[in-house]
Structures are given as structure tokens and as C-alpha cells.
Amino acid sequence: MPMTTTFMTSPKFFFTSESVTEGHPDKICDQISDAVLDAIIRDDPDARVACECAVTTGLVLVMGEITTTTYVDLNSLVRDVVLDIGYTRAKFGFDGETCGVMVSIKEQSPDIALGVNKALEAKRGEMSEEEIEAIGAGDQGMMVGFACTETPELMPMPIMLAHKLCRRLAQVRKDGTLPYLRPDGKSQVTVEYEYGKPKRVDTIVVSAQHSPDVSQDKIRDDIIRRVIKYVVPNGMMDEQTKIYVNPTGRFVIGGPAGDAGLTGRKIMVDTYGGMASHGGGCFSGKDPTKVDRSGAYYARYVAKNIVAAGLADRLELQVSYAIGIARPLSLAIETFGTGKVPDEQILELIQKHFDFRPAAIIRDLNLRRPIFRPTAVYGHFGRDDIDAPWERTDKADLLRREAGR
């Protein structure tokens, strides 16, 4: 079959995004890293956590830099996460009861801590301007926020459909609808756009790990009926839509037995599916003083409120930081010709109503809470099924009024 080729500046183009299930090796690592973070900040909200994880056949390695006053049994926590994902039997190639767990943790570097240590002195809740100003970013870098009107979640359609396919795969596996499925899996969705608007779903790819005693014909039929048609909106598929289910013809060996995994290796899956730019930093395993995470969350919060206010149909925002400095170094927006008011006015409203200093972000989004493990799979953005305060549109009405809309 010939490859579809288009230019994204053309009136008609195709765009593809992917997602992976919670049993994918990289996502196992993300979930373990965020489970460690949640367990620590539940008892010690001011802890510094930078937790990485790696998995391979029969082994989980937990490593990183953690400064905390609490204790967590990491061995038991890792096993609980792996079992909860669904790796409960050795014949799946990975088993939470029997896998090896190695831990290598040290304290945060004192050089890195210099710029943010005053956060430990600041009380949670109300902080003075001096305290907020004194708490610097935990690292340098640039973060990107994005929102658009393609879906009710104000997210790009390809990544939202890909996530929903993977969530549905997990649902039919766990509720027994398709009991032969196993935890690993992936989805990929190509959407045809016409004049910047989604027109139809052109291609769907679903790869689902399965037991060895089920036929590919049954898997294909079940996935199309129970997963794809359940997720994709009516009218978005047509006779020309191409569907590939387990394209190699077999997916029995999966998870860490089939591929090694690492924390932070699915950053496009975690964000906007490639539709927007990316600063390069991952989210999972990082406490909110790390602006890789909190800055990206806040940038999404700002972009979503601007779009929800009707000031643009599509907005990308970039913010940058220097380690130890509270105020951002730069702030830039792009509305892709969809702005309803001048970009300069949008920037003025952002600067007036949103505070990008790390301590203010932590305060305004209430981030010193154990809310992070659920973000580690099926995307950090566009979520209404988890506690994700960066998805609120509580400033949209104010922005709309001040813009005179």
C-alpha cells in the first residue's frame, strides 16, 4: 500500500499520534516513578524527589535522588504497582511477586538544592511575596503548553483517540470482556485534516498483547467491535479507513520480557502526541519544584484557559527558566492565525492573570499532594477522570470579559 504523504501547510493533510497501555515497559517505569513520588509526598509534602526506573526481563531498577524525612518500603511499593498493572503470573513474562527489585537512591545534590532550598522554610498555604520570589526553579529548561478546539478536552484529536483506544484496551482486559488480553499494548491514529479541522480517521493501528491460544481473526474482530468502534466517534470512520490489528500477526511476548523500559521515554505520548512543540523534559518521578513538570502543567493550564475563553482556537505557549531563579526568562505564544484578539493582548492578559513562578504554580495548582501516579499513563493532559488541576478553566470567563469578547 502506498504511503500517505502531505504537507501540514496544505489545505488537506494527515497527522498521526500514538499511545501505549499501562503494561508497556516504559509506562511501567513511569508509574513506578510516580508511585514513589506519591508515597513520599503523602507524608512529606516538601520532599525533593527525582526518581527514575528501568525494567527488563525479571528485573526492576529504581534509582535517583530523593531528600525526605519519611520512609517508604520501595521493594513492596514496586511489586504492588507491577501487580496492579496486571503482571501477576510468570507466564506473562513478568510477575510482580517474583521479579527482582534493585534500589539505588541518594540525596539531591547540594548544588542543585541551593536555588530551591528556601521552599523548605516556606509554609504551605499562604506565602509572602518574598517567599515566592525566593524559591527558584529546580532546573533550567523550556516547557510548552498547548490547547485547541478539536475535541471537548481542548486537545488534538489524534492523541485523544489514541489514549482512549489504549484505555479501552485496559478496560476490556480488566473487566473480563476480552480475558485473553495481557497488559502490554499500543495504539496509533492518523487523522485527515481539511483546512486545519479534523475531517475523518484515516488509519488506526492497535497492537495488543495476548495469550498464545487465541486466533488472530478473533483478536481482530474483537478489537474492532469492542475497542475501536466503541471509541471512535460516529461519522469519523468510513469505507476508506484502514485498520491494522497486531500487524505482525502475533503479540504474545510483551512487557519487560519483550523490551526494556525507562522512565521518561514516552514524552510525546504524555503531552500532545507531536502536535505541539516539546521542551524535552519528562514528567514522571519529579516533585513539583522541578519545572519540567510543574511548568509544563501550568503552561497547559494557561493555554487551555485562553482557548476556553474563545481568544484563540489554537494556542501554543513556551516558557523558560534558569535554575535557582523564580521568574521565567521568556514567555512566547503562537496562535497559528486563529486568534480572535491580537496576540499582544493575549500576552498582556497572561502576564496579568497568571503567575509562572514555581512557588506560585505549586500554590495555585495545589501540587504538593499525591496525585501523580494516575497521570503516568494515558496522558497528562485532556484528563477528566483524574485529579488534574491544570485542566481547570476557572479563569476563562475573566479572560473573556477583559478581552471584551
Side-chain angles (χ1 to χ4, degrees), residues 62 97 165 242 248 364 398 402:
V62 181
E97 295 283 3
L165 287 169
K242 300 175 284 293
T248 68
D364 294 346
L398 173 63
E402 293 212 2

PDB file of all heavy atoms in Angstrom, residues 62 97 165 242 248 364 398 402:
ATOM      1  N   VAL A  62      15.266   0.801  40.546  1.00  0.00           N
ATOM      2  CA  VAL A  62      14.789   2.121  40.970  1.00  0.00           C
ATOM      3  C   VAL A  62      16.005   2.940  41.386  1.00  0.00           C
ATOM      4  O   VAL A  62      16.812   2.481  42.193  1.00  0.00           O
ATOM      5  CB  VAL A  62      13.799   1.999  42.147  1.00  0.00           C
ATOM      6  CG1 VAL A  62      13.295   3.382  42.556  1.00  0.00           C
ATOM      7  CG2 VAL A  62      12.626   1.098  41.767  1.00  0.00           C
ATOM      8  N   GLU A  97       5.314 -10.603  41.842  1.00  0.00           N
ATOM      9  CA  GLU A  97       5.683 -11.384  43.025  1.00  0.00           C
ATOM     10  C   GLU A  97       7.117 -11.881  42.968  1.00  0.00           C
ATOM     11  O   GLU A  97       7.789 -11.989  43.995  1.00  0.00           O
ATOM     12  CB  GLU A  97       4.739 -12.594  43.168  1.00  0.00           C
ATOM     13  CG  GLU A  97       3.287 -12.237  43.433  1.00  0.00           C
ATOM     14  CD  GLU A  97       3.032 -11.828  44.870  1.00  0.00           C
ATOM     15  OE1 GLU A  97       3.999 -11.763  45.659  1.00  0.00           O
ATOM     16  OE2 GLU A  97       1.872 -11.558  45.206  1.00  0.00           O
ATOM     17  N   LEU A 165      -8.272   4.638  22.946  1.00  0.00           N
ATOM     18  CA  LEU A 165      -8.145   3.252  22.495  1.00  0.00           C
ATOM     19  C   LEU A 165      -7.359   2.427  23.504  1.00  0.00           C
ATOM     20  O   LEU A 165      -7.735   1.291  23.828  1.00  0.00           O
ATOM     21  CB  LEU A 165      -7.467   3.206  21.124  1.00  0.00           C
ATOM     22  CG  LEU A 165      -8.306   3.676  19.930  1.00  0.00           C
ATOM     23  CD1 LEU A 165      -7.428   3.819  18.691  1.00  0.00           C
ATOM     24  CD2 LEU A 165      -9.481   2.736  19.654  1.00  0.00           C
ATOM     25  N   LYS A 242      -8.420   2.648   7.171  1.00  0.00           N
ATOM     26  CA  LYS A 242      -7.597   1.438   7.242  1.00  0.00           C
ATOM     27  C   LYS A 242      -7.400   1.051   8.699  1.00  0.00           C
ATOM     28  O   LYS A 242      -7.083   1.912   9.531  1.00  0.00           O
ATOM     29  CB  LYS A 242      -6.245   1.686   6.561  1.00  0.00           C
ATOM     30  CG  LYS A 242      -6.375   2.070   5.094  1.00  0.00           C
ATOM     31  CD  LYS A 242      -5.041   2.424   4.470  1.00  0.00           C
ATOM     32  CE  LYS A 242      -4.552   3.811   4.892  1.00  0.00           C
ATOM     33  NZ  LYS A 242      -5.409   4.899   4.371  1.00  0.00           N
ATOM     34  N   THR A 248       2.004  -7.621  12.954  1.00  0.00           N
ATOM     35  CA  THR A 248       2.954  -8.718  12.730  1.00  0.00           C
ATOM     36  C   THR A 248       2.268 -10.075  12.722  1.00  0.00           C
ATOM     37  O   THR A 248       2.862 -11.071  12.317  1.00  0.00           O
ATOM     38  CB  THR A 248       4.040  -8.749  13.827  1.00  0.00           C
ATOM     39  OG1 THR A 248       3.444  -9.111  15.078  1.00  0.00           O
ATOM     40  CG2 THR A 248       4.739  -7.412  13.947  1.00  0.00           C
ATOM     41  N   ASP A 364      -0.975  27.594  43.431  1.00  0.00           N
ATOM     42  CA  ASP A 364      -2.217  27.787  42.681  1.00  0.00           C
ATOM     43  C   ASP A 364      -2.798  26.476  42.158  1.00  0.00           C
ATOM     44  O   ASP A 364      -4.025  26.338  42.049  1.00  0.00           O
ATOM     45  CB  ASP A 364      -1.974  28.748  41.519  1.00  0.00           C
ATOM     46  CG  ASP A 364      -1.647  30.159  41.992  1.00  0.00           C
ATOM     47  OD1 ASP A 364      -1.879  30.447  43.190  1.00  0.00           O
ATOM     48  OD2 ASP A 364      -1.155  30.967  41.176  1.00  0.00           O
ATOM     49  N   LEU A 398     -13.205  35.260  33.173  1.00  0.00           N
ATOM     50  CA  LEU A 398     -12.491  36.508  33.455  1.00  0.00           C
ATOM     51  C   LEU A 398     -11.712  36.982  32.238  1.00  0.00           C
ATOM     52  O   LEU A 398     -11.757  38.167  31.853  1.00  0.00           O
ATOM     53  CB  LEU A 398     -11.564  36.314  34.643  1.00  0.00           C
ATOM     54  CG  LEU A 398     -10.607  37.466  34.983  1.00  0.00           C
ATOM     55  CD1 LEU A 398     -11.392  38.700  35.378  1.00  0.00           C
ATOM     56  CD2 LEU A 398      -9.653  37.044  36.100  1.00  0.00           C
ATOM     57  N   GLU A 402     -12.369  40.513  30.101  1.00  0.00           N
ATOM     58  CA  GLU A 402     -11.326  41.527  29.986  1.00  0.00           C
ATOM     59  C   GLU A 402     -10.883  41.734  28.540  1.00  0.00           C
ATOM     60  O   GLU A 402     -10.384  42.797  28.179  1.00  0.00           O
ATOM     61  CB  GLU A 402     -10.137  41.167  30.853  1.00  0.00           C
ATOM     62  CG  GLU A 402     -10.446  41.209  32.344  1.00  0.00           C
ATOM     63  CD  GLU A 402      -9.246  41.612  33.173  1.00  0.00           C
ATOM     64  OE1 GLU A 402      -8.173  41.905  32.603  1.00  0.00           O
ATOM     65  OE2 GLU A 402      -9.395  41.653  34.410  1.00  0.00           O
TER      66      GLU A 402
END
